[in-house]
């Protein structure tokens, strides 16, 4: 698929087709235009079939059929009422949907559609044949600019939810940006202290927007309804008071406060702990933005915390705003790191456990496996807004929810069809927590965003668990806290952040700064780390993270993976750099993604050519090594050299070859 700004493309598509719509002359062009321009389908002629024959009593033809996603399309002209029964060739009367269902009878079972789409160009009705008795979803051409993600099933059903989260998260970032700009004008000095306070204030507001929509405050619109009663002149005073209440345990509050203020829960977690931040005066414009645009007319409960963390940071961070607007690391790219690093192995282990037939044995294995997941510890030493940590937490919690489903099913068998209530603890079946996640980040604002993103992720996953165990689980007060530390990772002792004996996996996306573009302080950091190494100042900045990681994991079974600019594996400094790591710290490369374009979704993104390298100390002996090509294909290998090639001769660089012979080998 071609990468497209879908919102802009949907807007243009809507304009092109606003006054068109003839069934005979426009059907094929309409659907091809939609699939190519909005959804990026490249091989359109092989993707969708038009006028496919169907053998009924007479030979008939489907208007369109998409084999890969099993979508049957019945198209009518723009002046046709989709509820009206229309005359057919055999004299019968049918609605367009009934006509489409008739075609299904003439199709082989393997081609029966999952979706039937009926359209008159102005209106697109989506019938989910897994839910044949439910009313169809309806998308209007006029609303396509905001609703296009609802057509993602045309490509693949699994993308629907992800696309929706993506759109909501980006829209949320835009809302935060508007509020941020309006609040910034109210600060008198706009110095470092003012901007820091503004950042904290925005993080708190976003948490409250999410918390009221997710009903973790107690009910929807609780924050909105409380603040709505006050004029703008009182908002500063009332927010300060509300923040104090949110940070005070219920039994320690002033009992003479207003009842609607006392109704707010105790949040904990440090989010509202700092009472010295500067909160400016509010005006009518800001009050309207907060109450109406952000709270009343937007649902924050469905944002993707993985995406939103990055969007949020880049919206409010002046540096990232100047460098191309909001951006985030795509979930797909995050999984290029975490899947081969640990998720693939964990899923394979779970698959084997599910194959146990004896319920008691299966329950025991599941409990041991869940405990194992709860003891894994992760560190991202360049965590930014926490997207790697957040997506890892979500992936593990989804896996834990699948474990709970299996445990419940097995316990039903043990108890003759009755669910045994003991799923662990005080009926809190959740063992994985955000306290298993550690991060280092130099930007104080990104630290706050990362913590908030993890809290939101924790809340969302609790809701999913509640639907499985059919029991309410309290989110507040916050019982766990992500261990995100503010500081310069290249000048810190990582062992003081999390002892290496405790750590399981190390991962991240360190800054993309080439040797030619580093500041003097960055070059000094690299030269200091690689003390005595000739031309160390020419190494890419990410080399510092590799060295710190190699030192940290030496002699342990910690497995690491970093995203890096591909200069780490090419150019004049490659031999010197890798030779140093091999000889000093005995590392080995376990898996690698060869050069691909790293997409961070920024509005004016630069095309950065990256690699992903998974590595560990030689203490790791059981890892199945493999190389992912630029196109994504996977090849198992025996060894991987520092050019990310299959080193089939098994020679260890620093033991058996000199620099010249390795250079010759690369050629």
């Amino acid at each position: 698929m071609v990468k497209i700004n879908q919102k802009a493309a949907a807007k243009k598509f809507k304009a092109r087709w606003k006054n068109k719509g003839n069934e005979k002359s426009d059907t094929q062009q309409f659907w091809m235009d939609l699939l190519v321009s909005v959804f990026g389908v490249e091989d359109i002629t092989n993707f969708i079939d038009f006028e496919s024959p169907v053998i009924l009593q007479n030979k008939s033809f489907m208007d369109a059929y998409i084999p890969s996603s099993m979508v049957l399309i019945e198209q009518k002209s723009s002046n046709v009422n989709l509820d009206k029964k229309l005359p057919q060739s055999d004299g019968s009367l049918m609605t367009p949907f009934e006509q489409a269902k008739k075609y299904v009878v003439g199709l082989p079972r393997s081609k029966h559609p999952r979706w039937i789409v009926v359209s008159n160009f102005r209106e697109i009705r989506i019938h989910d044949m897994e839910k044949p008795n439910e009313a169809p979803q309806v998308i209007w051409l006029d609303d396509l600019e905001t609703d296009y993600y609802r057509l993602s099933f045309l490509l693949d059903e699994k993308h629907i939810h992800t696309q929706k989260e993506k759109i909501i998260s980006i829209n949320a970032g835009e809302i935060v940006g508007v509020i941020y700009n309006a609040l910034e004008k109210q600060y008198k000095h706009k110095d470092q202290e003012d901007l820091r306070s503004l950042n904290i204030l925005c993080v708190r507001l976003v948490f409250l927007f999410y918390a009221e929509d997710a009903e973790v405050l107690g009910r929807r619109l609780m924050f909105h309804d409380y603040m709505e009663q006050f004029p703008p002149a009182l908002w500063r005073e009332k927010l300060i008071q509300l923040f104090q209440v949110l940070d005070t345990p219920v039994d320690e509050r002033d009992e003479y406060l207003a009842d609607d203020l006392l109704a707010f829960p105790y949040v904990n977690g440090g989010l509202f702990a700092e009472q010295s931040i500067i909160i400016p005066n509010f005006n009518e414009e800001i009050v309207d933005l907060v109450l109406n645009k952000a709270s009343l007319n937007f649902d924050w409960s469905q944002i993707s915390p993985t995406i939103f963390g990055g969007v949020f940071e880049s919206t409010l961070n002046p540096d990232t705003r100047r460098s191309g607007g909001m951006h985030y690391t795509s979930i797909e790219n995050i999984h290029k790191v975490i899947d081969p690093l640990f998720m693939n192995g964990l899923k394979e282990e779970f698959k084997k456990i599910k194959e146990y037939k004896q319920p008691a044995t299966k329950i025991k294995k599941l409990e041991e496996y869940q405990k194992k997941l709860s003891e894994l510890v992760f560190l991202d030493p360049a965590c930014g807004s926490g997207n790697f940590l957040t997506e890892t937490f979500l992936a593990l919690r989804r896996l834990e929810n699948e474990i709970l489903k299996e445990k419940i099913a097995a316990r039903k068998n043990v108890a003759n069809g009755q669910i045994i209530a003991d799923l662990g603890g005080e009926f809190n079946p959740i063992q994985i927590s955000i306290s298993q996640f550690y991060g280092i980040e130099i930007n104080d604002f990104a630290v706050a965003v990362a913590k908030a993103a993890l809290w939101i992720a924790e809340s969302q996953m609790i809701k999913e668990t509640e639907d499985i165990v059919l029991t309410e689980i309290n989110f507040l007060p916050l019982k766990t806290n992500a261990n995100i530390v503010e500081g310069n990772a290249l000048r810190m002792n990582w062992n003081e952040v999390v002892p290496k004996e405790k750590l399981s996996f190390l991962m991240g996306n360190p800054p993309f700064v080439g040797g030619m573009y580093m500041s003097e302080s960055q070059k000094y950091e690299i030269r200091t780390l690689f003390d005595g190494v000739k031309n160390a100042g020419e190494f890419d900045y990410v080399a510092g993270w590799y060295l710190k990681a190699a030192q940290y994991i030496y002699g342990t079974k910690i497995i690491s993976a970093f995203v890096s600019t591909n200069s780490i594996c090419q150019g004049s400094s490659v031999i010197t750099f890798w030779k140093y790591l091999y000889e000093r710290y005995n590392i080995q490369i376990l898996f690698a993604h060869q050069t691909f374009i790293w997409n961070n979704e920024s509005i004016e993104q630069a095309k950065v050519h990256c690699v992903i390298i998974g590595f560990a100390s030689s203490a790791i002996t059981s890892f199945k090594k493999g190389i992912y090509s630029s196109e994504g294909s996977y090849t198992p290998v025996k060894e991987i050299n520092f050019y990310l090639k299959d080193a089939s001769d098994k020679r260890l660089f620093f033991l058996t070859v000199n620099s010249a012979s390795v250079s010759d080998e690369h050629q």
Side-chain angles (χ1 to χ4, degrees), residues 576-641:
T576 306
F577 168 68
W578 285 103
K579 187 176 190 298
Y580 186 85
L581 295 188
Y582 282 161
E583 291 181 335
R584 292 287 185 99
Y585 304 107
N586 203 17
I587 70 163
Q588 57 175 323
I589 298 177
L590 301 179
F591 70 88
H593 279 268
Q594 294 174 333
T595 299
F596 66 101
I597 294 175
W598 180 260
N599 174 17
N600 70 0
E601 304 292 350
S602 65
I603 293 173
E604 297 176 3
Q605 61 180 307
K607 293 187 181 300
V608 183
H609 292 83
C610 292
V611 294
I612 295 170
I613 302 175
F615 59 100
S617 166
S618 60
I620 296 291
T621 58
S622 59
F623 197 96
K624 296 178 180 177
K625 297 181 179 181
I627 297 174
Y628 297 83
S629 72
S630 302
E631 294 75 32
S633 62
Y634 175 79
T635 304
V637 297
K638 295 286 187 180
E639 299 288 344
I640 304 173
N641 68 17

